[in-house]
Amino acid sequence: MDTVIVTNPPRAALEDVDVLAGLGVATIHEAMGRTGSAGPHLRPIQMDRRIAGTAVTVVAWPGDNLMLHAAVEQCQEGDLLVVTTTSPSTDGMFGELLATSLRTRGVRGLVIEAGVRDCAELREMDFPVWSAAVSAQGTVKATAGAVNVPVVVGRTMVRPGDVVVADDDGVVCVPRGSVTETIEAGRARVEKENATRRRFVEDGELGLDVYGLRPLLERLGVRYVSSQEYEAR
Amino acid sequence: MDTVIVTNPPRAALEDVDVLAGLGVATIHEAMGRTGSAGPHLRPIQMDRRIAGTAVTVVAWPGDNLMLHAAVEQCQEGDLLVVTTTSPSTDGMFGELLATSLRTRGVRGLVIEAGVRDCAELREMDFPVWSAAVSAQGTVKATAGAVNVPVVVGRTMVRPGDVVVADDDGVVCVPRGSVTETIEAGRARVEKENATRRRFVEDGELGLDVYGLRPLLERLGVRYVSSQEYEAR
Amino acid sequence: MDTVIVTNPPRAALEDVDVLAGLGVATIHEAMGRTGSAGPHLRPIQMDRRIAGTAVTVVAWPGDNLMLHAAVEQCQEGDLLVVTTTSPSTDGMFGELLATSLRTRGVRGLVIEAGVRDCAELREMDFPVWSAAVSAQGTVKATAGAVNVPVVVGRTMVRPGDVVVADDDGVVCVPRGSVTETIEAGRARVEKENATRRRFVEDGELGLDVYGLRPLLERLGVRYVSSQEYEAR
Amino acid sequence: MDTVIVTNPPRAALEDVDVLAGLGVATIHEAMGRTGSAGPHLRPIQMDRRIAGTAVTVVAWPGDNLMLHAAVEQCQEGDLLVVTTTSPSTDGMFGELLATSLRTRGVRGLVIEAGVRDCAELREMDFPVWSAAVSAQGTVKATAGAVNVPVVVGRTMVRPGDVVVADDDGVVCVPRGSVTETIEAGRARVEKENATRRRFVEDGELGLDVYGLRPLLERLGVRYVSSQEYEAR
Amino acid sequence: MDTVIVTNPPRAALEDVDVLAGLGVATIHEAMGRTGSAGPHLRPIQMDRRIAGTAVTVVAWPGDNLMLHAAVEQCQEGDLLVVTTTSPSTDGMFGELLATSLRTRGVRGLVIEAGVRDCAELREMDFPVWSAAVSAQGTVKATAGAVNVPVVVGRTMVRPGDVVVADDDGVVCVPRGSVTETIEAGRARVEKENATRRRFVEDGELGLDVYGLRPLLERLGVRYVSSQEYEAR
Amino acid sequence: MDTVIVTNPPRAALEDVDVLAGLGVATIHEAMGRTGSAGPHLRPIQMDRRIAGTAVTVVAWPGDNLMLHAAVEQCQEGDLLVVTTTSPSTDGMFGELLATSLRTRGVRGLVIEAGVRDCAELREMDFPVWSAAVSAQGTVKATAGAVNVPVVVGRTMVRPGDVVVADDDGVVCVPRGSVTETIEAGRARVEKENATRRRFVEDGELGLDVYGLRPLLERLGVRYVSSQEYEAR
């Protein structure tokens, strides 16, 4: 591994980051052509929180949180820490003390493809976390890693300065270069969904008609049969 | 697969469905001779909700929610949507829009052996869901499946019109033909448990005596030894 | 298996147990030199509860809760029931009735390397539980096991009378003979963490400096490079 | 559970069973419209074996192989034992002695949604097995179950007398009533695949052309771009 | 953790170790009253090998094989290396070079609750391995652990000098103090199984009769019904 | 997703690819500073095969192998097909027919983060495969994906034209730009390992001395204690 700490990567603009937070993970994932989702293994330790921040990335050795401490210094207002390990790990690499330190620098939350601990305390101080595990198991500080290099998180890639959005549906990454088009596409999607919702609720329409799916069902050979016919076969 | 949409299957009576909801999943599972439980992999996205409904079943292709839209039209007051996929999938096949559409038809909730998304919104609109995963990953509408055919959900089978009960302990299916006897057996069990609870709390009795287990322990050769004796061996 | 029920094992003193509860799982795990944690697979069914008790241990057959009933009789004020099975199981071996019975004897909670049910009821009666699964699946009472013998729970061993502490970070076991030194080491750790927290918050210091990690990073060959340099390579 | 042993269920004809064995699991699964596969969790303990038999089904309690012994008596020439448990289990419920007993009755193999043991011995005596786990963990004989009732195996249902085919790709079930049409469809598929293979190998054709997929790709908006163009974006 | 290397633990006698190897894992597990099995997660990287050795135990940090090198020096003729990590890990902590080094000291094999690599080479040099994973991921040598302390491997405990037996069914540990009685009980079991096998094969008897299970089935209320009766219900 | 088929990406030179194949996965992973390994979830369906090829990458929809057919046309002599899905899938997306087609174009093997089928046939025709699952479950051809775009495979990234090496230890990716330095570093590592092996075997040296680990153990505070001392504590 290239054991480097990259300083001052360009970051997405915070006013864009905040707009993306407002859109939420599922909408952004759709707006990006159904890409960017980290996958179902990263779960929030709290409920009903939706945040976004600019990624400061960390590659740590399993069982070792040395590089998280190195990463703190690279963080600034509006960042979100994104931690991966070189191999699968459930260790509690992050707890209340690191969160306290990050909080003083304006960091908004943590996404970690490993474990966390001090969950009750983190919720109490309202420091939101998405992790692959919760574990009391502590770590050492002995092995080199990297800060602010591109990292793989589940099924997506996160580069430093990218926008990471997280809510109850998981975690999504918006590449820094795609922020503007994603916001646009996301807003269009919200409007379209609002229109669809109205047709569902006010007009009692069905998705089959709103999305024009009846011809597709027919083309695919899906047949309607009564329960009696079906049982009789 | 038989790519059919079966219309108007006979359904269990809603007054029975509501009685079953009142009994809860664990009691019903016991009342059916310890059968019908879907298993521990289906978890609620909310807490402290207990519902029951008549099953409208869906077989969908992984990554494809076309048949969920076809199923909405087959739903009526008191139903509960039960979705399976032809192979394991974690995709978020269901979200707030589909729930809104189902809600207008009186559907009570969702059991899905795949993923859901819009979890915060679903909780906010009080549409209860039991799923195998939470994932922002969206789906296409391209491949045929089936509606209202018998489906396998975990370790049990669900037929359209069966009663599906779900609470914090998981999901259980009561075959339409077993509703009356299950209600009876469930009520008997509740009464018996109430009596047992009284003996535990008011009389300070032990399960060993209430259930008559002491002779069994003896027959099985279980011996009582003091801590000193045990350490001395 | 030695099918015995061991009576009256010596137990840790309850005043010490209560001190350990105050310290919490992560702190105790660190105070014991990073040992004793059962691992990330045991999760609480409730949020924000932290308890400790003296272990009454059970080895049960999968799908069989006979020995849990035998164990109730061995419980006393301040105990915590610790249940393992001879092979992996998700069955709901424990529910509200057993909890009611344990409650009358002053038992503080349950740690079970298998499943539980009646989760809503257990939360309502405030009987805290840590388990490997939630499942409605019921059990029989047919096969012998053991009570108050040493058991393996995840990656740690629990002996009867040991102190088991559980909170949102998981479960840790403090051997009866290590209670005093663990309390001492735990208190020292809390004090040290308080001091570190002050340096983080009040002085804006970094972990890199507080823990003296900069020379280590240098020794390990970790280099600082600007984002431009990094991209240029 | 209905604790019954059903005797003499009608079985598929063995000459048909042998034809199905010749077709193999993947072909049969396709011939049935992509249904009937038990799923990827059942793995062979041997390599390069392909068998088929008429199902004798067992529902056993986890950790308990009593009903397997009851099932032996119900087996006859050409059968294949299909074992499920009421909840997930990895226990070694089956070994060389049971295989020896089944062998004397002409049973062809075992499919078990739990564990087996004596793997080396089973391979040596050429008794083929598909299981969810391998485990030395032994079982008791204490709790009732059922023989020759319909069972759920992974994502499919197996009824007594159905044809179960197993090879290195897994396990598939052909309902007794679908045997003739499945054989026909399977043979047609083999012929079609042979023709396709010839076009691939002898004529160097591509699947894109053989299956007529180019128009579909175009309709779906898939574009061809050169590597230079792609990098330039 | 107590970071010690314990030297010269007493070991079981090698002539007994070899007898145990001959009995095999499943038989020994039964002979010990169904205890001692590590569980189904430890799998061999080779087929049809059955070995036994005296345990030299290692506790390593995840991603770190320093203590394996320390352990080599503690090994002698007839030993078997047993490696655990302080938290779950799949890293390839062990490969052909370490095996070569162990081989020169007469070590018989490896049981590791983590990953290995160089699988092809290990098979070629006939150094048998049971592991929880196979992974090319390499490790560092930076963090302290322990050698020859008691360790938890899956669901069992292994102390230095205990006999560890491994074959295609998994891994079992025989405590040093139980070797003689286990050999006796194992031999008795083999004889009994031989007798049972003869009754199965030569006399065509059934397990139902050999084990006297018919009265048990009756007591449990298991009924025999013909297929016609069952379908008619 | 960007639904494109990228044509003619630059590829690593085949003479270098063959050198890398000779080095093997573990050595290459080390030579790249312990990076590039896809992780332990990709397993070979055959034994003792070691190959390397230039990556043609595919992003497919779960349950849909349309894009694999599109990818065949992009393949040439010396390539290796690398398939990912947009979400986790175990479906058998690849079988003997596709392998036959790839074989005619000189493709060397398959790495797929989903399922395969026709395993026996693939082994018989000696077409090596590394996959995340084996499943008979078939797929449709209905949804767009991409060919020859960068893909995430487990914990690493693969770009078209990169060298992918696979053997019994798993899968590793060498970026096209790092081939020369990796070969050099890999050869140096092999030489060093040969020297170490000689010291182990011929001189009976220990890793503790060869790697100079004794001072480290001392610095870490690891103490040597006799078995008697340890027990006496």
Side-chain angles (χ1 to χ4, degrees):
Chain A
M1 188 174 23
D2 204 2
T3 53
V4 295
I5 296 169
V6 179
T7 58
N8 296 314
R11 288 159 161 96
L14 283 192
E15 58 267 28
D16 291 340
V17 172
D18 293 338
V19 174
L20 287 167
L23 293 171
V25 171
T27 295
I28 290 169
H29 162 75
E30 291 285 343
M32 292 200 300
R34 293 199 189 108
T35 62
S37 166
H41 65 303
L42 294 181
R43 302 300 306 140
I45 65 164
Q46 67 288 320
M47 258 176 147
D48 296 325
R49 289 285 278 126
R50 174 170 284 171
I51 66 162
T54 36
V56 168
T57 65
V58 180
V59 183
W61 205 251
D64 193 310
N65 74 351
L66 170 62
M67 299 313 289
L68 278 76
H69 288 282
V72 174
E73 193 174 26
Q74 305 307 318
C75 289
Q76 65 183 47
E77 181 73 32
D79 282 341
L80 186 150
L81 199 64
V82 176
V83 178
T84 62
T85 46
T86 50
S87 58
S89 171
T90 59
D91 289 347
M93 307 180 78
F94 182 96
E96 174 261 342
L97 266 182
L98 266 165
T100 298
S101 185
L102 287 173
R103 168 68 39 97
T104 66
R105 302 180 81 83
V107 174
R108 297 177 172 187
L110 171 76
V111 168
I112 183 165
E113 208 163 22
V116 285
R117 58 184 191 179
D118 300 339
C119 286
E121 291 80 359
L122 290 166
R123 283 194 293 262
E124 209 191 330
M125 68 186 277
D126 191 27
F127 188 89
V129 171
W130 286 256
S131 75
V134 170
S135 171
Q137 177 72 32
T139 49
V140 295
K141 305 183 203 328
T143 299
V147 173
N148 276 335
V149 298
V151 295
V152 171
V153 180
R155 302 212 158 212
T156 199
M157 188 150 231
V158 179
R159 288 166 197 284
D162 284 352
V163 184
V164 170
V165 189
D167 62 19
D168 288 16
D169 294 341
V171 174
V172 72
C173 174
V174 183
R176 195 164 53 90
S178 311
V179 165
T180 314
E181 70 189 79
T182 301
I183 287 177
E184 242 168 80
R187 281 173 169 161
R189 190 177 161 86
V190 168
E191 269 178 51
K192 198 176 136 205
E193 289 201 337
N194 286 342
T196 304
R197 194 176 296 107
R198 274 193 299 274
R199 291 176 67 178
F200 282 0
V201 176
E202 292 168 22
D203 312 335
E205 282 190 84
L206 290 167
L208 283 184
D209 299 307
V210 171
Y211 303 121
L213 300 173
R214 293 194 197 273
L216 174 60
L217 287 176
E218 202 176 335
R219 200 171 73 231
L220 293 171
V222 178
R223 286 157 310 111
Y224 286 80
V225 300
S226 73
S227 177
Q228 293 91 319
E229 285 172 88
Y230 185 76
E231 291 300 326
R233 291 191 296 182
Chain B
M1 188 174 24
D2 204 4
T3 53
V4 295
I5 297 169
V6 179
T7 58
N8 295 316
R11 286 160 162 97
L14 283 191
E15 59 267 28
D16 290 340
V17 172
D18 293 339
V19 174
L20 286 167
L23 292 172
V25 171
T27 296
I28 290 169
H29 163 75
E30 291 284 343
M32 291 199 300
R34 293 200 189 108
T35 62
S37 166
H41 65 303
L42 294 180
R43 300 302 305 141
I45 65 163
Q46 67 286 319
M47 257 176 148
D48 297 325
R49 289 284 280 128
R50 173 170 285 170
I51 66 161
T54 37
V56 169
T57 64
V58 180
V59 183
W61 204 250
D64 193 310
N65 74 352
L66 171 61
M67 300 313 290
L68 278 76
H69 288 282
V72 173
E73 193 174 27
Q74 305 307 318
C75 288
Q76 64 183 47
E77 180 73 32
D79 282 341
L80 187 150
L81 199 65
V82 176
V83 178
T84 62
T85 46
T86 51
S87 58
S89 171
T90 59
D91 288 348
M93 308 182 76
F94 183 96
E96 174 261 341
L97 267 181
L98 266 166
T100 298
S101 186
L102 288 173
R103 167 67 42 94
T104 67
R105 303 180 80 82
V107 173
R108 296 178 173 185
L110 169 77
V111 168
I112 182 166
E113 207 162 23
V116 285
R117 58 185 191 179
D118 298 339
C119 286
E121 292 81 357
L122 291 167
R123 282 194 293 263
E124 208 190 333
M125 68 186 278
D126 191 27
F127 187 89
V129 171
W130 285 256
S131 74
V134 170
S135 172
Q137 177 71 33
T139 50
V140 295
K141 306 183 202 326
T143 299
V147 174
N148 275 335
V149 299
V151 295
V152 171
V153 180
R155 302 211 157 211
T156 198
M157 187 150 233
V158 179
R159 289 165 196 284
D162 283 353
V163 184
V164 170
V165 189
D167 63 18
D168 288 17
D169 294 339
V171 175
V172 72
C173 175
V174 184
R176 195 164 54 90
S178 310
V179 165
T180 314
E181 69 188 79
T182 301
I183 288 177
E184 240 168 81
R187 282 174 168 160
R189 189 176 162 86
V190 169
E191 269 179 51
K192 197 174 138 206
E193 289 201 338
N194 286 342
T196 303
R197 193 176 296 106
R198 275 194 298 275
R199 290 176 69 178
F200 281 0
V201 177
E202 293 169 22
D203 312 336
E205 282 190 82
L206 291 167
L208 283 184
D209 298 307
V210 171
Y211 303 123
L213 299 173
R214 293 194 197 274
L216 173 60
L217 287 176
E218 201 175 336
R219 201 171 71 230
L220 293 171
V222 177
R223 284 157 310 112
Y224 286 81
V225 300
S226 72
S227 178
Q228 294 90 321
E229 284 173 87
Y230 185 75
E231 292 300 326
R233 291 192 296 183
Chain C
M1 187 173 25
D2 204 2
T3 53
V4 294
I5 297 169
V6 179
T7 57
N8 296 314
R11 287 159 162 97
L14 283 191
E15 59 268 27
D16 290 339
V17 171
D18 292 339
V19 174
L20 286 167
L23 292 171
V25 170
T27 296
I28 290 169
H29 162 75
E30 291 285 343
M32 293 199 299
R34 294 198 189 110
T35 62
S37 166
H41 65 303
L42 294 181
R43 300 302 304 140
I45 65 164
Q46 67 287 318
M47 257 175 147
D48 296 325
R49 289 284 278 125
R50 174 169 283 171
I51 66 161
T54 36
V56 168
T57 65
V58 180
V59 182
W61 205 249
D64 193 310
N65 75 351
L66 171 62
M67 299 314 289
L68 277 76
H69 288 283
V72 174
E73 193 173 27
Q74 305 308 318
C75 289
Q76 64 183 48
E77 182 73 31
D79 282 341
L80 187 150
L81 199 64
V82 176
V83 178
T84 62
T85 47
T86 50
S87 58
S89 172
T90 59
D91 290 347
M93 308 181 77
F94 183 96
E96 174 261 341
L97 266 181
L98 266 166
T100 300
S101 186
L102 287 173
R103 166 69 41 96
T104 66
R105 303 181 80 83
V107 174
R108 297 176 173 187
L110 171 75
V111 168
I112 183 166
E113 208 163 22
V116 285
R117 59 185 191 179
D118 300 338
C119 286
E121 292 81 358
L122 290 167
R123 282 193 294 262
E124 208 190 332
M125 68 186 278
D126 191 27
F127 188 90
V129 171
W130 286 255
S131 75
V134 170
S135 172
Q137 177 72 35
T139 49
V140 295
K141 304 182 204 330
T143 299
V147 173
N148 275 336
V149 299
V151 296
V152 171
V153 180
R155 301 211 159 213
T156 198
M157 189 151 232
V158 179
R159 290 166 193 283
D162 283 352
V163 184
V164 170
V165 188
D167 62 20
D168 288 17
D169 293 340
V171 174
V172 73
C173 175
V174 184
R176 195 165 53 91
S178 309
V179 166
T180 312
E181 70 189 79
T182 302
I183 287 177
E184 242 168 80
R187 282 173 168 161
R189 190 177 160 86
V190 168
E191 268 179 52
K192 198 176 137 206
E193 289 201 338
N194 286 341
T196 304
R197 194 176 296 107
R198 274 193 299 274
R199 291 176 68 178
F200 282 0
V201 178
E202 292 168 23
D203 312 334
E205 283 190 83
L206 291 167
L208 283 184
D209 299 306
V210 171
Y211 304 122
L213 300 173
R214 293 195 197 272
L216 173 61
L217 287 175
E218 202 176 336
R219 201 171 70 230
L220 293 170
V222 177
R223 283 156 311 113
Y224 287 81
V225 301
S226 74
S227 177
Q228 295 90 317
E229 286 173 88
Y230 185 76
E231 291 301 325
R233 291 192 297 183
Chain D
M1 189 173 24
D2 203 3
T3 53
V4 294
I5 297 169
V6 178
T7 58
N8 297 314
R11 287 159 162 96
L14 283 191
E15 58 267 28
D16 291 340
V17 171
D18 292 339
V19 175
L20 287 167
L23 292 171
V25 170
T27 295
I28 291 169
H29 163 75
E30 291 285 342
M32 293 199 300
R34 294 200 187 109
T35 62
S37 167
H41 65 303
L42 293 181
R43 301 301 304 139
I45 65 163
Q46 68 287 319
M47 257 177 148
D48 296 326
R49 289 283 280 126
R50 174 170 284 171
I51 66 161
T54 36
V56 168
T57 64
V58 180
V59 183
W61 205 250
D64 193 311
N65 74 351
L66 171 62
M67 298 314 290
L68 278 77
H69 288 282
V72 174
E73 193 173 27
Q74 305 307 316
C75 288
Q76 64 183 49
E77 181 72 32
D79 281 341
L80 187 150
L81 198 64
V82 176
V83 178
T84 62
T85 46
T86 50
S87 58
S89 171
T90 59
D91 289 347
M93 308 181 78
F94 183 96
E96 175 259 342
L97 266 182
L98 266 165
T100 299
S101 185
L102 287 174
R103 168 67 42 96
T104 67
R105 304 181 78 84
V107 174
R108 297 176 173 187
L110 170 75
V111 168
I112 182 165
E113 208 163 23
V116 286
R117 58 184 190 179
D118 299 338
C119 285
E121 290 81 358
L122 291 166
R123 282 194 294 261
E124 207 190 332
M125 67 186 279
D126 191 28
F127 188 89
V129 170
W130 286 255
S131 74
V134 170
S135 172
Q137 177 71 34
T139 49
V140 295
K141 306 182 202 328
T143 298
V147 173
N148 276 335
V149 299
V151 296
V152 171
V153 180
R155 301 213 158 210
T156 198
M157 187 150 232
V158 180
R159 289 166 196 283
D162 284 352
V163 185
V164 170
V165 189
D167 63 19
D168 288 16
D169 293 340
V171 174
V172 73
C173 175
V174 183
R176 195 165 52 91
S178 311
V179 165
T180 314
E181 70 188 80
T182 302
I183 288 176
E184 243 168 79
R187 282 173 168 161
R189 189 177 162 85
V190 169
E191 270 179 49
K192 198 176 135 206
E193 290 201 338
N194 286 341
T196 304
R197 195 176 296 107
R198 276 192 297 275
R199 293 176 68 179
F200 282 2
V201 176
E202 294 168 22
D203 312 334
E205 283 189 82
L206 291 167
L208 283 184
D209 299 307
V210 171
Y211 304 122
L213 300 173
R214 292 195 197 274
L216 174 60
L217 287 176
E218 201 176 336
R219 200 172 70 231
L220 293 171
V222 177
R223 285 158 309 112
Y224 286 80
V225 300
S226 72
S227 177
Q228 295 89 320
E229 285 173 88
Y230 185 75
E231 291 300 325
R233 290 191 298 185
Chain E
M1 188 173 24
D2 203 3
T3 53
V4 294
I5 297 170
V6 178
T7 57
N8 296 314
R11 288 159 162 98
L14 283 191
E15 59 266 27
D16 290 339
V17 172
D18 292 339
V19 175
L20 286 168
L23 292 171
V25 171
T27 296
I28 291 169
H29 163 74
E30 291 285 343
M32 293 199 301
R34 292 196 190 111
T35 62
S37 165
H41 65 304
L42 293 181
R43 300 302 304 139
I45 65 163
Q46 67 288 318
M47 258 177 147
D48 296 326
R49 289 285 279 124
R50 174 170 284 169
I51 65 161
T54 37
V56 167
T57 65
V58 180
V59 182
W61 205 250
D64 193 311
N65 73 351
L66 170 62
M67 299 314 289
L68 278 77
H69 288 282
V72 174
E73 193 174 27
Q74 305 308 317
C75 288
Q76 64 183 49
E77 181 73 32
D79 281 342
L80 187 150
L81 199 64
V82 176
V83 178
T84 62
T85 45
T86 50
S87 58
S89 171
T90 59
D91 289 347
M93 307 182 79
F94 183 97
E96 174 260 342
L97 266 181
L98 266 166
T100 299
S101 185
L102 287 173
R103 168 66 43 94
T104 67
R105 304 181 79 84
V107 174
R108 299 178 171 185
L110 170 75
V111 168
I112 183 166
E113 208 162 25
V116 285
R117 58 184 189 178
D118 299 339
C119 287
E121 291 81 358
L122 290 167
R123 283 194 293 262
E124 208 191 332
M125 67 186 278
D126 190 28
F127 188 89
V129 170
W130 285 255
S131 74
V134 170
S135 172
Q137 177 72 35
T139 49
V140 295
K141 305 183 204 327
T143 299
V147 173
N148 276 335
V149 299
V151 296
V152 171
V153 179
R155 301 211 159 212
T156 198
M157 188 150 232
V158 179
R159 289 165 196 283
D162 283 352
V163 184
V164 170
V165 188
D167 62 20
D168 288 17
D169 294 339
V171 175
V172 72
C173 175
V174 183
R176 195 164 53 90
S178 310
V179 165
T180 313
E181 68 188 79
T182 301
I183 287 177
E184 242 169 80
R187 283 174 168 162
R189 189 176 162 86
V190 169
E191 270 179 48
K192 198 175 137 206
E193 289 200 338
N194 285 342
T196 303
R197 195 175 296 105
R198 275 193 298 274
R199 292 176 67 179
F200 281 1
V201 177
E202 294 169 20
D203 313 334
E205 282 190 82
L206 291 167
L208 283 185
D209 299 307
V210 171
Y211 305 122
L213 299 174
R214 293 195 198 274
L216 173 60
L217 287 176
E218 201 176 335
R219 201 172 71 229
L220 293 172
V222 177
R223 284 155 311 110
Y224 286 81
V225 301
S226 73
S227 178
Q228 295 90 319
E229 284 173 88
Y230 185 75
E231 291 301 325
R233 288 191 296 184
Chain F
M1 189 173 24
D2 204 3
T3 54
V4 295
I5 297 169
V6 179
T7 58
N8 296 315
R11 288 159 161 97
L14 283 191
E15 59 266 28
D16 290 340
V17 171
D18 293 338
V19 174
L20 286 167
L23 292 172
V25 171
T27 296
I28 290 169
H29 162 75
E30 291 285 342
M32 292 200 300
R34 295 200 187 108
T35 63
S37 165
H41 65 304
L42 294 180
R43 300 303 304 140
I45 65 164
Q46 68 287 319
M47 256 175 148
D48 296 326
R49 289 285 280 124
R50 174 170 285 171
I51 65 162
T54 37
V56 169
T57 64
V58 181
V59 183
W61 204 250
D64 193 310
N65 73 351
L66 170 61
M67 299 314 289
L68 278 76
H69 288 282
V72 174
E73 194 174 25
Q74 305 308 317
C75 289
Q76 64 183 47
E77 181 72 32
D79 281 341
L80 187 150
L81 199 64
V82 177
V83 178
T84 62
T85 46
T86 51
S87 57
S89 171
T90 59
D91 288 349
M93 308 182 78
F94 183 96
E96 174 261 341
L97 267 181
L98 267 165
T100 299
S101 185
L102 287 173
R103 168 67 42 97
T104 67
R105 303 181 79 83
V107 174
R108 299 178 171 184
L110 170 76
V111 168
I112 182 166
E113 207 162 23
V116 286
R117 57 184 191 179
D118 299 339
C119 287
E121 291 81 359
L122 291 166
R123 281 193 295 261
E124 207 189 333
M125 67 186 280
D126 191 26
F127 188 90
V129 171
W130 286 256
S131 74
V134 170
S135 171
Q137 177 72 33
T139 50
V140 295
K141 304 184 203 325
T143 298
V147 173
N148 275 336
V149 298
V151 296
V152 171
V153 180
R155 302 211 158 211
T156 198
M157 187 150 233
V158 179
R159 290 165 195 282
D162 283 353
V163 185
V164 170
V165 188
D167 63 19
D168 288 17
D169 293 340
V171 175
V172 72
C173 175
V174 184
R176 195 165 52 90
S178 310
V179 165
T180 314
E181 69 187 78
T182 302
I183 288 176
E184 242 168 81
R187 282 173 168 161
R189 190 178 162 84
V190 168
E191 269 179 52
K192 198 176 136 204
E193 290 202 338
N194 286 342
T196 304
R197 193 176 297 107
R198 275 193 297 276
R199 292 176 68 179
F200 282 1
V201 176
E202 293 169 21
D203 311 335
E205 283 190 79
L206 291 167
L208 284 184
D209 298 308
V210 171
Y211 304 122
L213 300 172
R214 293 195 197 273
L216 174 60
L217 287 176
E218 201 176 336
R219 199 172 72 232
L220 293 171
V222 177
R223 284 158 310 112
Y224 287 80
V225 300
S226 72
S227 177
Q228 294 89 321
E229 284 172 86
Y230 186 74
E231 291 300 326
R233 289 191 296 185

